[in-house]
Amino acid sequence: AQKVTQAQTEISVVEKEDVTLDCVYETRDTTYYLFWYKQPPSGELVFLIRRNSFDEQNEISGRYSWNFQKSTSSFNFTITASQVVDSAVYFCALRPSGTYKYIFGTGTRLKVLA
Amino acid sequence: DGGITQSPKYLFRKEGQNVTLSCEQNLNHDAMYWYRQDPGQGLRLIYYSQIVNDFQKGDIAEGYSVSREKKESFPLTVTSAQKNPTAFYLCASSITRTGANYGYTFGSGTRLTVV
């Protein structure tokens, strides 16, 4: 079975706090791709990051960082010093190689309070 | 600027009516997709198209139809056979099907409500 689990339905933090969004995936494929997307209130999903299964390097982009661990099938996303503009729904997605679709998690709604 | 345009942003449908959601892209992408989003659920694939005049059913195609007569356009028709059409519909594209490994570009969505 191929599945993405985002166990945190909603998280509220106060501005400037750090927050980690969890993503656990299941796949039997050895080659696959993982993504994070942000969905602001306007509705469109905005691409944040892509990782392939052979690249376990963590990545940092400004206040955003991602921790990919194949041993635990996790691809967690951390926002450092959160800001109100970070308020959105965040989706984690899996794309097994050779398939035509993404498998999305149910999303985590992040509310950053001023 | 290149992107995907979905229209209308909000759409109301009466019971028994067919409605068509528009999706246009100027990214020169070959592959296009339609996803449905319901509250508290992830996105589910309705249909996808790899090239002009070709499309395949996704996981929840029943009650929907599509066409791909032009590379730029991939309209979705929600038919009266779709029993629960109220949802947020997102159109996406990728350079090619395998190009989706590099991520989708999404439109801003159409919110459909049955009245």
Side-chain angles (χ1 to χ4, degrees):
Chain A
Q2 308 203 80
K3 186 179 177 182
V4 174
T5 301
Q6 294 181 256
Q8 304 151 307
T9 303
E10 185 169 312
I11 301 175
S12 292
V13 298
V14 176
E15 204 169 20
K16 297 184 183 177
E17 284 186 1
D18 299 347
V19 58
T20 295
L21 309 182
D22 298 333
C23 173
V24 175
Y25 62 93
E26 296 176 31
T27 182
R28 293 181 182 176
D29 291 356
T30 55
T31 302
Y32 52 88
Y33 301 85
L34 294 164
F35 301 84
W36 275 96
Y37 283 86
K38 174 182 180 180
Q39 186 179 39
S42 54
E44 80 280 13
L45 271 73
V46 177
F47 170 84
L48 295 178
I49 191 170
R50 161 190 176 267
R51 266 286 174 269
N52 71 51
S53 51
F54 299 107
D55 182 3
E56 279 195 81
Q57 278 191 339
N58 292 330
E59 179 150 339
I60 298 175
S61 177
R63 296 184 297 107
Y64 295 171
S65 62
W66 291 269
N67 183 5
F68 176 30
Q69 291 194 335
K70 288 179 72 171
S71 61
T72 56
S73 297
S74 65
F75 186 39
N76 296 337
F77 173 31
T78 297
I79 301 174
T80 303
S82 59
Q83 299 176 1
V84 172
V85 293
D86 296 326
S87 297
V89 180
Y90 291 86
F91 288 96
C92 181
L94 165 71
R95 188 175 192 267
S97 179
T99 67
Y100 54 80
K101 66 178 183 180
Y102 285 19
I103 299 160
F104 284 87
T106 52
T108 297
R109 181 177 299 276
L110 174 64
K111 293 184 178 179
V112 181
L113 308 173
Chain B
D1 288 338
I4 296 181
T5 301
Q6 288 189 244
S7 61
K9 192 170 181 64
Y10 299 95
L11 186 57
F12 297 90
R13 191 194 93 168
K14 293 183 179 179
E15 296 276 358
Q17 274 186 340
N18 292 353
V19 291
T20 297
L21 283 60
S22 171
C23 177
E24 304 276 335
Q25 55 101 354
N26 61 2
L27 299 164
N28 201 31
H29 284 178
D30 285 329
M32 298 185 74
Y33 312 80
W34 274 104
Y35 281 87
R36 169 177 171 146
Q37 183 180 8
D38 294 282
Q41 298 193 35
L43 280 66
R44 294 180 290 167
L45 183 66
I46 305 172
Y47 268 96
Y48 78 102
S49 168
Q50 298 179 63
I51 56 173
V52 174
N53 293 323
D54 178 73
F55 48 83
Q56 281 78 42
K57 294 181 179 179
D59 298 322
I60 56 166
E62 185 175 351
Y64 300 98
S65 65
V66 293
S67 63
R68 187 85 186 278
E69 296 176 1
K70 298 186 302 181
K71 187 175 185 177
E72 302 78 20
S73 179
F74 191 41
L76 173 73
T77 297
V78 184
T79 74
S80 57
Q82 170 49 238
K83 299 304 179 189
N84 184 22
T86 295
F88 189 56
Y89 292 86
L90 284 157
C91 179
S93 71
S94 61
I95 295 174
T96 61
R97 191 189 77 170
T98 53
N101 294 341
Y102 297 92
Y104 287 161
T105 300
F106 281 90
S108 57
T110 293
R111 189 166 298 281
L112 174 63
T113 304
V114 174
V115 296

